[in-house]
Amino acid sequence: MRGIKRFLLLAPLCALAACVEATPPAQVPQPGADSCNAASFRGLVGQPRGVLDRMTLPAGTRIIGPRDAVTMDFNAGRMNFEIGEDGRIAKIGCY
């Protein structure tokens, strides 16, 4: 009997706690954002991978081959060149 009384006293408090507004999650930069200035290199898509060897790329740039293992850490300021199976630049992005 005593447990039921406690439950009846605490039930309204639990219901009110459910009405508290949760804080929104922190904004995470979207991979599509051009935070690393990748747009200035978009003209290289479709070019052979070798053109990158003759260029000065921003520090930290990754050139990712079709079967290369890469870390999954997100860095909005890091430029990535993805090379397709055909040896050509398939994608350029900031992540």
Side-chain angles (χ1 to χ4, degrees):
M1 183 77 155
R2 199 169 199 189
I4 293 175
K5 285 183 182 179
R6 270 194 193 157
F7 174 75
L8 291 175
L9 289 174
L10 293 176
L13 292 176
C14 292
L16 286 174
C19 295
V20 174
E21 184 177 336
T23 55
Q27 292 292 327
V28 177
Q30 297 300 314
D34 192 25
S35 53
C36 68
N37 199 24
S40 63
F41 293 89
R42 297 269 187 241
L44 296 175
V45 173
Q47 297 294 315
R49 187 245 181 267
V51 300
L52 298 175
D53 296 335
R54 298 184 297 268
M55 297 181 69
T56 302
L57 299 172
T61 296
R62 295 192 296 187
I63 299 173
I64 305 167
R67 288 175 288 287
D68 288 352
V70 293
T71 60
M72 295 299 292
D73 62 319
F74 179 77
N75 181 346
R78 178 176 53 211
M79 187 176 312
N80 294 274
F81 288 86
E82 291 185 34
I83 309 302
E85 292 286 340
D86 60 357
R88 296 185 174 278
I89 300 169
K91 181 179 174 186
I92 305 169
C94 307
Y95 51 90

